[in-house]
Amino acid sequence: MSISIFVHSKQPCFGKLNIPKPQSVTSERRTSFFGSRTSGAGMARNSTFGGTEKMKDPRPLHDKAYVQQCIRQLCEFLSEKDFPGSMSVKSLQSPSTKEFLKIFEFIYCLLDPTFQMPTSKVEEEVPRILKDLGYPFVLSKSSMYSVGAPHTWPQVLGAVVWLIDTVKIFCCMSDQDLLFADFSDGSTEIEDGVEFNKLFLDYTAETYNKFMQGADTFDEEDADYLAKLKRLYNVDEGLLASMEEKYRMLSDEVERLEKESQTDRLMVKRTEKVKLQTDLQKLQSYRSNLESFKANLENKASGLAEELEASGLQVETLKQEESRLQHILSTQKFTPADIERINWEKRELQQTVNSLSKSLEQAEQHMWNEEIALAKAKETAEVKLAEYHKLARKLKLIPVSAENACGHDFEIRTSIEYGPSTMVQCRTQIQQLLRKLITDVDEECSRLTDMKLSLEESIEQVNSNISDKANDLKQLREQIRRLDEQLEQDMQDIAHEEQRWSAEMESVETHRKLLEKKVTLGYDESVEQLKAAQQQYHLVLQETNEERRTVVNNLASVLTTAANHLSIVEKFLEDQHKRVDRVYTEAFREDEVDIQKMKDIMESFIAKVNSM
């Protein structure tokens, strides 16, 4: 049976307690809190008011699963309402009377902030408060003396859960003004008006009448009520269908994105990181080689420039000497010997000029070749730089606003004014940023390690639960052993009883023989004594048989009860063992997957460290 409490508000608040629904073929009787209703001769349900029948709690309070559900509900409610004390599911398995009183006072103060728990006669005050609030079941005073006992805590827990539902209803109703709901202004929604209230009350009355007549489902009333609500709110079926289709499409898209996001992005990023580190090392080595080659070319170019400058100065000196000699030749008169000497010097100077011209041409040609090589080296460097930028864009490292850049600039800009110091500075900056990325990945590894430790703690907790169940199994086996000993003792008592009756039979038989011997003394007296002995014998035999049959029946019922109890206990322990094995297997598989991931991470990290 499912008991639902509905509260009318702009944001409906529902307090629902899930209880297994009994079959309609059982003889269990449902009761109502609202008085008896005359619904004809086929009435299948009775009301609690107007009759002397004591109401029975339909909730399965002796079901362990249901009790655990109520404990979790109570723990969540206390956490939501900021309970001042420390409370957990484990501590609520068997709380003390002091803890229960603190919890009860905290929950009841949500209804009445001025309430204070009295210091005396608490065992009478708590049941009285629950009765005044309308709790439909009886909570005895004796249960307040030992709240945490296994036979009293389920009933007390059921009352606390009912009080929690009452608090939820009170909180929902306190958020609105229900007294003058029909006299609101024109801006109020239809849900707060007369139409909705009338529909809701008609639906409630109709379904309650059917419920009191024995019905368990109200499909027709639900469909009729839903159709009236749609007419009241002018619901567009086409718009609803389009919205459902849109919701289905969005759900498929979200599911697809979730499946894509379930891939191991960390491993992909680690692989990309290793590739980037390898490419970065290659790029750095190539860059260092290029810088050394550039330095050699610059040294050679500076040497050639110095040689060219020296050759130019020597040519200028020779030209000045030639002009001086030409002036001397034009102003002076020379002899043939002087002319021959001058011509000979002229030829030597011409040879020197020719040799220097050839050296100059060779130097210019070498400088040209070096410039071509330098241009090729620059083009190669630009190609490598473009590849670096392409790879960085693919890895989302550039521009600065990229996903993996984290606000850092990984771009290498080319400039004519860049020198070796600038390149070294740029390399140092990028290396620092990459080291920071490595640090972030290491932090992620540590977070996964912490997660692994938490999973190991969960496994330890499961193992402790298994040990607790094993202890319970030992206790049950001890109880079975005691029952076997008691059964053996009963069998021994029955054997002694049979021996006693057999001894009495033997004594009766001896007495009969003595009577037969005395027949010769008096026939009439012997006949009378024989009849009396026979009557006494039949009476004793009848009593003996009756007692034996009673003992055998009692022994059979005891054995049947013990066997049934043993089979139920064995079945329960098997179910618990299977459940624990399944939970342990799932946790062990998840741990193996996490450990394998951690091993892969460590191997990649070791490979990265070795490569660095």
Side-chain angles (χ1 to χ4, degrees):
M1 184 176 65
S2 179
I3 302 174
S4 301
I5 302 173
F6 298 89
V7 178
H8 165 57
S9 63
K10 294 183 179 179
Q11 295 180 352
C13 175
F14 303 102
K16 188 172 183 180
L17 185 61
N18 294 323
I19 304 173
K21 183 177 180 180
Q23 299 294 330
S24 59
V25 297
T26 61
S27 61
E28 182 178 355
R29 178 177 296 174
R30 298 189 184 181
T31 56
S32 170
F33 304 153
F34 304 102
S36 61
R37 299 176 64 94
T38 58
S39 57
M43 178 71 71
R45 308 175 195 271
N46 295 330
S47 172
T48 55
F49 302 133
T52 60
E53 180 185 4
K54 183 178 179 181
M55 186 170 183
K56 183 179 179 181
D57 195 343
R59 297 174 295 181
L61 295 177
H62 296 287
D63 187 3
K64 292 184 178 180
Y66 179 75
V67 172
Q68 294 300 321
Q69 177 186 352
C70 294
I71 290 175
R72 287 193 297 270
Q73 183 179 354
L74 175 59
C75 187
E76 292 174 358
F77 179 79
L78 294 177
S79 300
E80 290 176 0
K81 299 299 182 180
D82 297 330
F83 182 68
S86 59
M87 197 61 59
S88 62
V89 176
K90 186 175 181 180
S91 62
L92 290 175
Q93 298 294 331
S94 179
S96 62
T97 304
K98 184 178 180 181
E99 292 176 347
F100 166 73
L101 293 177
K102 288 176 62 177
I103 295 172
F104 183 83
E105 182 179 5
F106 174 76
I107 297 175
Y108 190 74
C109 284
L110 298 176
L111 296 174
D112 185 8
T114 62
F115 173 75
Q116 290 184 356
M117 182 64 69
T119 58
S120 61
K121 295 184 179 181
V122 179
E123 66 278 1
E124 298 179 359
E125 188 69 18
V126 173
R128 184 191 62 79
I129 292 173
L130 291 173
K131 184 177 180 181
D132 293 342
L133 289 175
Y135 185 59
F137 311 114
V138 177
L139 191 65
S140 62
K141 297 179 182 179
S142 60
S143 61
M144 294 293 102
Y145 293 103
S146 58
V147 174
H151 63 282
T152 58
W153 173 235
Q155 283 77 15
V156 177
L157 180 62
V160 173
V161 171
W162 181 87
L163 184 60
I164 289 174
D165 292 335
T166 304
V167 171
K168 290 180 180 179
I169 295 172
F170 176 75
C171 293
C172 291
M173 295 180 65
S174 62
D175 293 338
Q176 59 181 345
D177 185 11
L178 297 178
L179 184 59
F180 302 104
D182 295 337
F183 300 97
S184 57
D185 55 1
S187 60
T188 307
E189 296 180 358
I190 300 177
E191 187 176 357
D192 293 328
V194 180
E195 293 84 357
F196 178 80
N197 291 334
K198 185 177 182 301
L199 287 177
F200 182 73
L201 291 176
D202 292 341
Y203 167 74
T204 305
E206 186 175 359
T207 53
Y208 183 72
N209 285 331
K210 293 292 183 67
F211 175 78
M212 294 301 295
Q213 291 174 4
D216 291 327
T217 58
F218 312 102
D219 296 334
E220 296 180 0
E221 289 76 6
D222 292 341
D224 189 15
Y225 180 62
L226 183 61
K228 291 180 180 179
L229 286 178
K230 288 181 179 180
R231 288 196 300 270
L232 178 62
Y233 290 102
N234 297 323
V235 176
D236 189 357
E237 296 290 343
L239 179 60
L240 285 177
S242 62
M243 295 298 291
E244 289 178 356
E245 182 66 21
K246 185 176 180 181
Y247 173 75
R248 186 184 61 78
M249 293 173 63
L250 291 176
S251 300
D252 295 339
E253 183 69 18
V254 169
E255 184 178 0
R256 184 183 63 81
L257 292 175
E258 288 179 352
K259 289 181 179 179
E260 291 179 357
S261 63
Q262 287 176 359
T263 57
D264 196 351
R265 296 183 61 187
L266 182 59
M267 295 302 297
V268 174
K269 293 298 182 183
R270 285 175 181 159
T271 306
E272 292 178 356
K273 177 186 174 184
V274 172
K275 292 180 180 179
L276 280 176
Q277 288 177 347
T278 305
D279 294 338
L280 181 61
Q281 290 177 357
K282 292 180 180 179
L283 184 60
Q284 288 176 351
S285 61
Y286 178 77
R287 181 181 174 185
S288 61
N289 295 331
L290 188 62
E291 288 178 354
S292 61
F293 181 70
K294 180 181 177 182
N296 293 330
L297 289 179
E298 289 177 352
N299 293 329
K300 290 180 181 180
S302 61
L304 292 174
E306 291 175 356
E307 292 179 1
L308 182 61
E309 186 178 0
S311 299
L313 292 175
Q314 189 177 2
V315 170
E316 289 293 332
T317 305
L318 291 174
K319 287 182 178 180
Q320 290 177 3
E321 185 66 21
E322 183 183 6
S323 62
R324 186 180 62 79
L325 292 175
Q326 187 68 30
H327 178 69
I328 293 172
L329 181 60
S330 61
T331 55
Q332 293 182 358
K333 294 181 179 180
F334 297 97
T335 62
D338 294 333
I339 292 172
E340 185 177 357
R341 182 175 58 79
I342 290 169
N343 290 331
W344 179 75
E345 291 177 355
K346 180 179 180 182
R347 285 192 298 271
E348 287 183 353
L349 291 173
Q350 188 64 35
Q351 290 178 358
T352 303
V353 169
N354 292 333
S355 63
L356 291 174
S357 298
K358 290 180 180 180
S359 298
L360 180 61
E361 290 177 357
Q362 291 177 358
E364 289 178 351
Q365 183 66 31
H366 183 68
M367 185 177 68
W368 174 255
N369 294 332
E370 294 296 333
E371 288 179 353
I372 291 174
L374 181 61
K376 291 181 179 179
K378 287 183 178 179
E379 290 178 356
T380 306
E382 289 177 356
V383 170
K384 294 294 183 180
L385 188 60
E387 292 179 355
Y388 166 76
H389 287 168
K390 183 178 180 181
L391 182 61
R393 288 189 180 91
K394 186 182 293 184
L395 296 175
K396 298 181 181 179
L397 293 176
I398 58 175
V400 179
S401 60
E403 179 179 355
N404 298 329
C406 298
H408 302 296
D409 189 8
F410 288 91
E411 186 175 1
I412 301 176
R413 296 176 177 81
T414 58
S415 177
I416 300 175
E417 298 178 356
Y418 277 10
S421 62
T422 307
M423 298 300 290
V424 170
Q425 182 180 1
C426 183
R427 180 179 62 187
T428 304
Q429 181 179 0
I430 293 177
Q431 286 179 351
Q432 290 177 354
L433 296 177
L434 291 175
R435 287 193 185 98
K436 185 177 181 182
L437 288 177
I438 293 171
T439 304
D440 294 339
V441 173
D442 293 338
E443 291 177 354
E444 185 68 18
C445 292
S446 64
R447 186 182 66 81
L448 292 175
T449 304
D450 296 336
M451 187 183 297
K452 176 190 172 185
L453 293 175
S454 65
L455 290 174
E456 290 178 353
E457 292 178 357
S458 300
I459 292 173
E460 291 179 357
Q461 186 176 2
V462 171
N463 291 331
S464 66
N465 293 332
I466 292 173
S467 64
D468 294 338
K469 295 299 180 182
N471 294 329
D472 295 339
L473 181 61
K474 290 180 180 178
Q475 294 178 0
L476 292 173
R477 287 177 178 174
E478 182 66 22
Q479 292 178 2
I480 293 170
R481 185 184 63 78
R482 292 175 182 175
L483 290 174
D484 291 336
E485 292 177 356
Q486 184 178 1
L487 178 61
E488 185 177 358
Q489 184 66 29
D490 293 337
M491 293 292 292
Q492 291 177 359
D493 295 337
I494 292 171
H496 290 312
E497 190 72 17
E498 288 179 352
Q499 290 178 1
R500 186 174 63 81
W501 285 113
S502 64
E504 291 181 1
M505 290 290 294
E506 289 177 358
S507 65
V508 171
E509 185 68 23
T510 304
H511 184 64
R512 188 180 64 81
K513 289 179 180 181
L514 292 174
L515 289 175
E516 287 178 353
K517 288 180 182 181
K518 293 179 180 180
V519 170
T520 58
L521 299 177
Y523 178 78
D524 295 334
E525 184 179 359
S526 299
V527 170
E528 291 176 357
Q529 290 179 357
L530 178 61
K531 290 181 180 180
Q534 287 178 351
Q535 290 177 357
Q536 185 178 2
Y537 170 77
H538 288 298
L539 181 61
V540 171
L541 182 63
Q542 184 178 0
E543 292 176 355
T544 303
N545 293 332
E546 188 68 22
E547 289 180 0
R548 182 180 297 173
R549 186 163 49 251
T550 303
V551 171
V552 170
N553 291 332
N554 293 336
L555 181 61
S557 63
V558 169
L559 291 175
T560 303
T561 304
N564 292 334
H565 179 70
L566 181 61
S567 62
I568 292 171
V569 170
E570 288 178 351
K571 184 177 179 181
F572 176 76
L573 291 177
E574 288 176 358
D575 294 339
Q576 292 295 328
H577 184 66
K578 290 180 182 179
R579 186 180 302 171
V580 170
D581 287 342
R582 183 171 63 254
V583 173
Y584 178 77
T585 304
E586 293 176 356
F588 185 75
R589 289 177 181 173
E590 293 176 357
D591 291 340
E592 285 183 347
V593 173
D594 294 336
I595 290 170
Q596 186 64 32
K597 289 182 180 179
M598 292 301 299
K599 286 182 179 179
D600 296 339
I601 292 169
M602 292 300 297
E603 290 176 358
S604 62
F605 183 76
I606 292 170
K608 176 189 68 176
V609 172
N610 293 332
S611 62
M612 292 178 63

